[in-house]
Amino acid sequence: MATKENEDIARQREDEVMLLRTRDRMAFRDIAERIGADVKNTHQAWKRARARQHEEAKEAFGAYVGEQLAACQHVIDGLMPMVRAGGMHAPKAAEAIVRAMDHEAKLLGLYAPVKANVTVTDEMTSRIKALADEIAQLEDT
C-alpha cells in the first residue's frame, strides 16, 4: 500500500513526465533517461497523468455546466413574471426565456445531430432536369 509521501512523489513524477512530453515534446526514451526510469514506467506515468488530467477536466466541466444551468434558471425565473404580466416588454422577455431554455437544452446534450438518409435516384435527376427545362421555356416566353 502506497504511503501519502509515495503518492506525492509519484504525482510529481507524472506531472514532470507530462510536461516534458507535451510542452518540451521529448520522446519517452529521452524523458526516461532524464528522470532515471525505464521507458515502460515513463510511459505508464504519462498515461496516469493524462487520465488524472482528463478526470480533473471532466469535474471542472461538470462544475461549469452546473453554473451555466443555474444562470439559465435564474434568467428564466427573473423574466417569467414579466411575461405573465404582459405589457410592452413581455415579447422581449419571452424571447430571452426561449434563448435561455435553448442554452439549457444544449448544455444538457438534448440537441443531437440529425442524420438524413438522402439518396438521389436517376428518376429524381431526370425529373429535376425536366423541371429546369420547363422553367427555361417559361423564361423564354
Side-chain angles (χ1 to χ4, degrees):
M1 183 169 175
T3 64
K4 176 71 174 139
E5 185 177 340
N6 289 344
E7 289 176 6
D8 291 342
I9 292 169
R11 185 178 176 118
Q12 287 175 339
R13 176 165 280 187
E14 291 166 2
D15 291 343
E16 182 180 7
V17 169
M18 180 60 93
L19 281 174
L20 293 172
R21 179 73 177 159
T22 56
R23 184 191 62 199
D24 299 342
R25 304 275 191 226
M26 291 177 69
F28 286 114
R29 181 180 355 90
D30 298 332
I31 297 169
E33 186 177 306
R34 182 169 177 169
I35 66 172
D38 63 25
V39 176
K40 182 180 177 185
N41 286 336
T42 302
H43 186 261
Q44 291 298 322
W46 176 72
K47 284 174 44 177
R48 284 190 303 272
R50 281 191 58 208
R52 190 179 68 249
Q53 285 186 344
H54 282 255
E55 197 59 38
E56 290 169 359
K58 189 166 58 172
E59 289 172 10
F61 180 73
Y64 170 76
V65 169
E67 290 170 4
Q68 290 293 306
L69 289 171
C72 289
Q73 193 58 48
H74 184 70
V75 167
I76 293 167
D77 291 344
L79 293 175
M80 192 57 75
M82 192 182 299
V83 171
R84 287 188 182 131
M88 61 186 246
H89 297 296
K92 290 286 186 187
E95 286 178 29
I97 288 173
V98 169
R99 284 194 303 272
M101 292 172 74
D102 186 52
H103 188 60
E104 277 183 323
K106 288 177 184 174
L107 288 169
L108 294 171
L110 299 177
Y111 283 128
V114 177
K115 289 185 179 181
N117 186 8
V118 180
T119 54
V120 178
T121 63
D122 291 336
E123 181 182 328
M124 293 171 128
T125 304
S126 63
R127 180 69 181 133
I128 291 170
K129 287 180 181 178
L131 288 171
D133 290 342
E134 287 179 32
I135 292 171
Q137 287 176 357
L138 289 174
E139 289 177 354
D140 290 340
T141 58

